Amino acid sequence: MIKYSVLYPNTKGGTFDHDYYRDVHLPLIKRRMGEYCHSYAIDKMPEGAPAETPFIAACHIYCLSMEDFEKGMKDNAADFVADVPNFTNIEPVKMIFDVVV
């Protein structure tokens, strides 16, 4: 299994609409990737977190293999990127991991 993580840094002047991210953006990804997206998770910085917290939000998309991830993203990545301005002006950090446990 692999995990594709998209982390949104806590940047000065950065905006992030958590409701849109949860209710629209990630369901769009799951729907469009279909069977190639095993599951996903969303992280949100909690209220009262220290101001210097490095990230304010993240998502993690789980796929059974790198091949599944590539198949799910192949015809959809441009649409996913085009939706980003609807919820943030922050440039994310993206990483892919092998899930060990």
Side-chain angles (χ1 to χ4, degrees):
M1 179 169 281
I2 64 103
K3 175 174 70 171
Y4 175 69
S5 295
V6 183
L7 297 91
Y8 296 89
N10 186 6
T11 59
K12 185 174 181 144
T15 61
F16 196 93
D17 183 338
H18 289 280
D19 292 335
Y20 186 94
Y21 198 56
R22 179 194 65 231
D23 298 337
V24 178
H25 188 69
L26 267 295
L28 167 72
I29 290 173
K30 175 68 174 153
R31 186 172 58 253
R32 295 284 295 276
M33 287 185 73
E35 66 182 309
Y36 299 119
C37 175
H38 179 269
S39 61
Y40 67 85
I42 299 172
D43 300 328
K44 177 182 178 184
M45 183 175 69
E47 295 294 323
E52 66 275 4
T53 298
F55 298 97
I56 61 166
C59 81
H60 312 283
I61 298 171
Y62 295 88
C63 300
L64 295 179
S65 67
M66 192 63 197
E67 293 77 21
D68 278 0
F69 174 75
E70 291 168 348
K71 288 176 185 176
M73 294 299 273
K74 182 180 178 192
D75 296 326
N76 297 303
D79 292 338
F80 300 157
V81 171
D83 191 46
V84 170
N86 291 319
F87 63 89
T88 191
N89 64 352
I90 299 170
E91 184 67 33
V93 175
K94 301 171 187 175
M95 300 182 290
I96 296 178
F97 298 95
D98 283 325
V99 176
V100 177
V101 175

